[in-house]
Amino acid sequence: MKFKAVALCTVALAASLSAENLIQDALDAGLVAIPSDPKALTKAINEASPDADKFPTTMAAYELGKRLYFDPRLSKSGIISCNTCHNLGLGGADGVPASTGHKWTPNPHHVNAPTVYNSVFNSVQFWDGRAAHLAAQAAGPMTAEPEMASTPELVVGRLKSIPAYVNEFKKAFNSEINFDLVTTAIGIFERTLVTPSRFDKFLEGDVNALNDVEKKGLKTFIDKGCATCHNGINLGGTLQPFEVTGKYEFANVGDFKGDENGLVKAPTLRNVELTAPYFHNGAVWSLSDAVKMMGSVQLGIEINDKEAADIVTFLNSLTGKMPKVEYPSFPASTDKTSKPELDY
């Protein structure tokens, strides 16, 4: 019995040391945990938010931003909100290859809506990285004709016609309503949409936070070179070259080609099991297929079915704890509020 107990202890110690080595390998590969310590998390969010010093995350700004995020009156038609394409109940995306906007207009470039969860940790926003932070991103869909089809003047005019919103802006920003503060408030709300996972606990030293299969998948993820682009606190979110070693099979779906240098934002892998379909044009529905495709397109290697399955098992451990967001009630429109323009 003594021998058996010693053997079991030896196995457990070896497994613990192996897990500790894997944690170090992950850290060496550039993977970073979402901090479990609230102060450290606040620091990480603020460091990732260029406007955090000027516009801190107060409760008044958060509540205002949340209301605006869900309010469809920010769209020309009065029926599309930020949450329409970045649905917090659907992993922060919309679950279709390319979003549908004003007058049922499909996205003209056939671009897939990225998740809003953890987007604060992206170094750039949009697939081509054209916005540097969340507030700048919020302005894009709101004023794009195939999306919410609004204008800054329309948005501000509608909000100013609603006394409750006038008061909320004064409370949150001590200011009258202007379009920059509208997008700022939305960005402040989006800063809070962070989803820590078991993977983060593992990186912070809890060797039992991942099971053996997930650990094997993480090792395969690192060994195959996936962390070359999918690294940092968001396992993505930075501009990267695309089609490095091979051609993307569905490159002809839509006309998106990246930024002026052909760079494309590597999507965050957090909550990736919730955000199908995949790639910038939403052409791939299977996460396993996406993993194998990235092997050939980006790394110049073959990732076989077993290896892809292991990696997917690890990726599923990145599904995090969603923040509790209560759907808001909206203040009433008034006689001065402009009517919805459906353009039927």
Side-chain angles (χ1 to χ4, degrees):
M1 292 296 291
K2 276 187 176 181
F3 177 79
K4 184 176 181 181
V6 170
L8 288 173
C9 288
T10 302
V11 170
L13 177 61
S16 177
L17 291 174
S18 176
E20 289 175 358
N21 289 338
L22 179 57
I23 291 171
Q24 190 58 53
D25 288 345
L27 296 174
D28 290 343
L31 304 183
V32 178
I34 292 177
S36 58
D37 177 72
K39 289 184 178 179
L41 176 57
T42 297
K43 184 174 183 288
I45 290 172
N46 287 342
E47 288 177 349
S49 305
D51 57 350
D53 286 342
K54 186 176 181 181
F55 299 108
T57 308
T58 64
M59 184 56 68
Y62 166 86
E63 289 293 342
L64 173 59
K66 180 177 72 172
R67 212 182 304 277
L68 295 173
Y69 184 88
F70 285 99
D71 197 332
R73 290 173 294 186
L74 270 59
S75 68
K76 185 178 182 181
S77 66
I79 58 176
I80 301 173
S81 71
C82 302
N83 191 64
T84 302
C85 297
H86 302 282
N87 192 311
L88 299 189
L90 290 172
D94 57 10
V96 295
S99 300
T100 299
H102 188 65
K103 294 172 56 178
W104 290 103
T105 303
N107 184 285
H109 305 291
H110 206 279
V111 174
N112 181 256
T115 179
V116 70
Y117 282 117
N118 305 297
S119 58
V120 64
F121 295 129
N122 292 334
S123 65
V124 293
Q125 307 297 332
F126 293 111
W127 284 102
D128 61 2
R130 65 184 183 274
H133 54 82
L134 294 174
Q137 186 279 330
M142 212 182 304
T143 57
E145 187 64 28
E147 297 184 59
M148 295 172 73
S150 205
T151 64
E153 294 76 19
L154 178 60
V155 170
V156 171
R158 282 188 181 165
L159 294 176
K160 280 186 173 181
S161 75
I162 301 171
Y165 271 132
V166 173
N167 291 334
E168 285 194 55
F169 273 87
K170 286 182 180 178
K171 183 178 178 181
F173 300 116
N174 193 29
S175 173
E176 292 185 354
I177 299 171
N178 64 62
F179 190 67
D180 286 343
L181 288 180
V182 172
T183 61
T184 295
I186 293 171
I188 288 171
F189 167 65
E190 291 175 340
R191 285 178 200 166
T192 70
L193 301 177
V194 174
T195 65
S197 67
R198 290 184 294 111
F199 168 70
D200 300 296
K201 292 181 180 180
F202 180 74
L203 273 191
E204 289 188 323
D206 182 353
V207 296
N208 297 314
L210 299 183
N211 63 38
D212 289 343
V213 182
E214 291 164 341
K215 291 172 186 173
K216 182 180 179 184
L218 171 57
K219 180 169 175 50
T220 305
F221 178 88
I222 295 169
D223 290 347
K224 290 295 182 181
C226 305
T228 304
C229 295
H230 293 283
N231 52 41
I233 195 169
N234 230 10
L235 289 88
T238 57
L239 284 174
Q240 299 289 341
F242 187 58
E243 295 184 315
V244 175
T245 59
K247 298 300 292 182
Y248 172 47
E249 180 181 351
F250 302 106
N252 63 337
V253 178
D255 62 2
F256 177 77
K257 303 299 180 186
D259 73 356
E260 60 184 8
N261 297 311
L263 300 178
V264 177
K265 185 187 72 177
T268 175
L269 295 181
R270 292 186 177 275
N271 304 302
V272 68
E273 72 169 324
L274 305 178
T275 58
Y278 304 109
F279 290 92
H280 60 272
N281 52 13
V284 178
W285 284 90
S286 162
L287 185 52
S288 178
D289 288 347
V291 168
K292 289 185 284 187
M293 214 170 280
M294 289 301 285
S296 60
V297 170
Q298 294 295 92
L299 300 170
I301 60 173
E302 179 185 352
I303 298 177
N304 63 40
D305 289 346
K306 180 64 172 64
E307 291 166 336
D310 289 341
I311 291 173
V312 168
T313 299
F314 158 64
L315 293 178
N316 290 345
S317 77
L318 297 173
T319 301
K321 181 180 179 182
M322 301 297 173
K324 184 177 180 180
V325 179
E326 189 172 314
Y327 195 94
S329 297
F330 306 116
S333 298
T334 67
D335 290 341
K336 295 180 180 180
T337 306
S338 63
K339 302 300 184 287
E341 299 177 47
L342 296 167
D343 297 335
Y344 287 162

